[in-house]
Amino acid sequence: METGDCCGLENQGFTCYLNALLQTLFRTPGFKNLINSSGEHVLEKALHSLFRNLSSNNSSVGTEDVTRALQIDVMKQQDIADCFRLLLNELDKKTSSKYSKIFQSRVVNILECEDCHNTDELVQDFSVITLPVKPHLAESLDEFCKPTTLEGQNEVYCNKCCKKTATEMTYTFKWLPSVLVIQLKRFMQYRYVFEKDSSIVDIPLQLEIPCGNSEDKLTNENYCLYAVCNHIEGVNSGHYNAVIKCSEQWNEFDDKNCYPRCIQQKENGCLSSRNGYLLFYHKVSKVDKKLQNEGTANDCKQLKKKKPNKLIIKIIETEVSGTQDVYYRP
């Protein structure tokens, strides 16, 4: 992904969610290239200016032009996934959805009547795939794609039977984008109260997803994790930051602060996180899969060999018992 010196973003009040998102989009080449080659839309101009400042500064820069263009209340915390959808919708109003296409997955909802086995298909496009929280992200994907029976009050009208019948519903991926964005469904509403699920999730650095439908031969699309946007703490009082792979090094971006982060990779090729919320994967070819270990264990070894050179080293406990992350902060 993108290289270069780290540059932070100023928090205008409660805009940590926006800062984490903007740092990620700045390091998403397809999106950044479109912004740098455009400039007619007010938001495009604001992002173009911001990305130019991020490229040329080593300290922190402001985001006032972006918040004005999005008409964001900077004193109100928002959900980062909702902000991402808002940003794409605003950009696509005058740009023929060229920004959404970078992130857009096409999902086919197949409905099969259990009486006559007649099938109907509903095609939907999503810029963010929302998955349930499971111990492993692969389990979350399996849960999303597994067949579900709609019966009782949830029965679906069958045009062939001319009545409501029990129906099997299955989701399949018809099309997968160059950048796959996954939202873990950590926030749930129980009656009138929202709660956060802070369960630990194994997030694979490499992800393989079958793509196609019942009429096509399934092919596996390969993805590489390059950014994790974290939500820390609870529902009513939380904070966002982003951990992003820049070239061969993972960096943490926390508003105006940014510094290298040593990632602890498990034996199963995953990162374990109880705060990971919005995940960004970029599509890779089969040839690129040989690079799957870059930025993790090897980088940690290199970091540990380097002399601090006027750096303050802070050791803090990670979310996984018995492991540590090393932060090198200027």
Side-chain angles (χ1 to χ4, degrees):
M1 308 310 291
E2 287 294 315
T3 61
D5 294 330
C6 293
C7 177
L9 293 172
E10 297 288 344
N11 192 323
Q12 298 183 52
F14 293 95
T15 57
C16 57
Y17 65 93
L18 178 64
N19 290 347
L21 176 62
L22 292 174
Q23 290 283 14
T24 302
L25 293 177
F26 176 65
R27 289 162 178 83
T28 302
F31 183 87
K32 183 179 178 181
N33 292 340
L34 274 181
I35 290 295
N36 289 341
S37 62
S38 305
E40 297 181 1
H41 192 282
V42 174
L43 182 55
E44 283 180 316
K45 292 178 180 178
L47 290 170
H48 184 275
S49 176
L50 176 68
F51 287 176
R52 184 176 63 248
N53 290 336
L54 283 173
S55 299
S56 59
N57 286 274
N58 292 328
S59 57
S60 58
V61 297
T63 59
E64 289 81 4
D65 290 344
V66 176
T67 54
R68 277 195 293 268
L70 289 171
Q71 298 181 352
I72 285 177
D73 181 353
V74 299
M75 299 307 296
K76 182 180 179 181
Q77 179 73 280
Q78 292 191 30
D79 183 274
I80 190 172
D82 290 343
C83 182
F84 178 53
R85 295 183 183 96
L86 170 65
L87 185 144
L88 290 181
N89 288 338
E90 287 298 317
L91 286 171
D92 285 343
K93 284 181 178 179
K94 296 183 179 180
T95 58
S96 302
S97 302
K98 65 180 181 180
Y99 289 96
S100 289
K101 288 177 182 177
I102 299 172
F103 309 96
Q104 201 166 74
S105 301
R106 178 155 293 178
V107 177
V108 180
N109 183 2
I110 302 172
L111 300 171
E112 180 179 353
C113 173
E114 293 195 345
D115 288 352
C116 69
H117 301 288
N118 182 53
T119 61
D120 288 316
E121 293 186 357
L122 175 64
V123 179
Q124 297 173 286
D125 292 333
F126 297 97
S127 57
V128 179
I129 300 298
T130 303
L131 299 180
V133 175
K134 297 291 181 181
H136 194 292
L137 188 64
E139 296 177 56
S140 301
L141 280 165
D142 289 342
E143 181 74 16
F144 178 81
C145 295
K146 78 175 185 180
T148 303
T149 301
L150 303 175
E151 54 190 355
Q153 294 182 345
N154 297 319
E155 288 183 348
V156 177
Y157 186 84
C158 175
N159 291 323
K160 189 173 181 180
C161 296
C162 297
K163 64 177 183 178
K164 285 187 175 183
T165 62
T167 303
E168 183 179 83
M169 179 177 68
T170 307
Y171 285 105
T172 62
F173 290 102
K174 173 67 175 177
W175 167 263
L176 287 167
S178 58
V179 178
L180 179 67
V181 183
I182 295 174
Q183 177 188 10
L184 293 177
K185 198 173 182 180
R186 291 197 179 274
F187 299 98
M188 301 290 290
Q189 184 175 6
Y190 298 96
R191 294 187 178 179
Y192 302 103
V193 179
F194 277 93
E195 295 182 4
K196 181 183 177 182
D197 186 343
S198 296
S199 301
I200 293 175
V201 177
D202 279 358
I203 301 170
L205 295 175
Q206 302 291 320
L207 193 61
E208 195 172 79
I209 305 177
C211 183
N213 62 20
S214 58
E215 297 178 357
D216 298 329
K217 182 179 179 181
L218 292 176
T219 58
N220 289 326
E221 298 287 359
N222 298 293
Y223 286 88
C224 181
L225 180 73
Y226 75 94
V228 178
C229 294
N230 299 300
H231 181 273
I232 304 165
E233 298 182 16
V235 175
N236 298 319
S237 60
H239 179 69
Y240 286 96
N241 65 19
V243 178
I244 308 171
K245 188 176 182 183
C246 308
S247 185
E248 296 182 6
Q249 174 59 51
W250 288 88
N251 291 323
E252 180 165 346
F253 296 85
D254 191 348
D255 290 334
K256 65 180 181 180
N257 299 312
C258 50
Y259 36 83
R261 178 167 180 179
C262 183
I263 295 295
Q264 298 289 344
Q265 180 182 354
K266 297 177 66 176
E267 292 183 359
N268 62 358
C270 295
L271 311 178
S272 288
S273 175
R274 66 171 72 253
N275 294 321
Y277 181 50
L278 199 63
L279 316 177
F280 287 77
Y281 285 86
H282 67 85
K283 187 181 288 187
V284 295
S285 66
K286 292 183 179 179
V287 176
D288 293 330
K289 289 185 70 178
K290 66 181 181 180
L291 304 176
Q292 62 183 356
N293 291 324
E294 284 189 6
T296 54
N298 292 335
D299 286 339
C300 292
K301 293 177 182 178
Q302 294 299 319
L303 277 174
K304 292 174 182 177
K305 290 179 181 178
K306 293 181 180 179
K307 294 182 179 180
N309 189 23
K310 297 182 180 180
L311 296 178
I312 299 173
I313 302 177
K314 183 182 180 184
I315 310 291
I316 46 182
E317 299 272 335
T318 62
E319 301 134 358
V320 185
S321 177
T323 63
Q324 291 181 322
D325 277 354
V326 182
Y327 292 80
Y328 294 81
R329 305 184 74 168

